[in-house]
Amino acid sequence: MNILDQVQEKHRFMQMAHESILNHLDDSEFKLNDFVKDMLVSSSTLYNKIHETTGLSVSGYISAVRMDQAVKIARLYPELSQTKISMMVGFNSPKYFSKCFKKRYSMLFKDYLKKVNVDNPYL
């Protein structure tokens, strides 16, 4: 297998992983075992491929995809509350959502919403 084939295979795998998480975005119970079943690989293979590509653990990757989707939702619908958005992206606890959001974006969600509204009121 040449390098181009390897890159394309890795891209397809990550695309499938991303889609799997999006398909379960609002499911707070979607965890490693569910992800492994969706991807049809072992947990060690899933970890290795995700970590190799992103530098994140599997749970870290799931959280990152959820946070990125929260940002997209917040940009499109800034009037939605943090609680509503956190539930839409699979978090049961708005407090835990805030903690994860701050870790990923280095700012509080409410501050991000203010920045979005100031930077581009049309989003």
Side-chain angles (χ1 to χ4, degrees):
M1 181 180 284
N2 68 38
I3 190 76
L4 181 58
D5 291 338
Q6 291 173 1
V7 169
Q8 289 173 338
E9 182 180 316
K10 187 181 292 188
H11 178 74
R12 278 192 300 272
F13 182 86
M14 291 308 296
Q15 195 170 21
M16 284 176 43
H18 188 81
E19 288 173 12
S20 172
I21 296 167
L22 293 181
N23 288 338
H24 300 278
L25 190 63
D26 63 348
D27 180 1
S28 62
E29 299 300 314
F30 183 71
K31 305 289 185 217
L32 175 63
N33 290 337
D34 304 307
F35 198 13
V36 166
K37 287 177 187 173
D38 271 8
M39 296 300 294
L40 303 173
V41 296
S42 69
S43 58
S44 59
T45 298
L46 182 63
Y47 174 83
N48 290 335
K49 288 187 175 198
I50 287 178
H51 188 264
E52 177 185 328
T53 305
T54 66
L56 299 170
S57 66
V58 174
S59 61
Y61 180 67
I62 292 170
S63 181
V65 171
R66 290 176 189 250
M67 291 290 107
D68 291 347
Q69 290 303 306
V71 166
K72 288 178 182 178
I73 292 167
R75 291 184 68 92
L76 291 171
Y77 306 100
E79 72 279 1
L80 292 177
S81 70
Q82 174 182 328
T83 300
K84 178 68 175 165
I85 292 174
S86 69
M87 289 181 180
M88 291 172 74
V89 297
F91 285 85
N92 284 334
S93 164
K95 188 174 182 178
Y96 183 63
F97 172 82
S98 289
K99 179 181 175 182
C100 293
F101 192 91
K102 185 168 184 180
K103 182 178 178 182
R104 181 147 176 89
Y105 293 100
S106 302
M107 69 172 55
L108 296 173
F109 186 73
K110 66 181 181 177
D111 295 334
Y112 181 84
L113 289 180
K114 289 176 190 170
K115 183 179 183 322
V116 168
N117 288 334
V118 170
D119 288 350
N120 191 343
Y122 301 106
L123 288 178

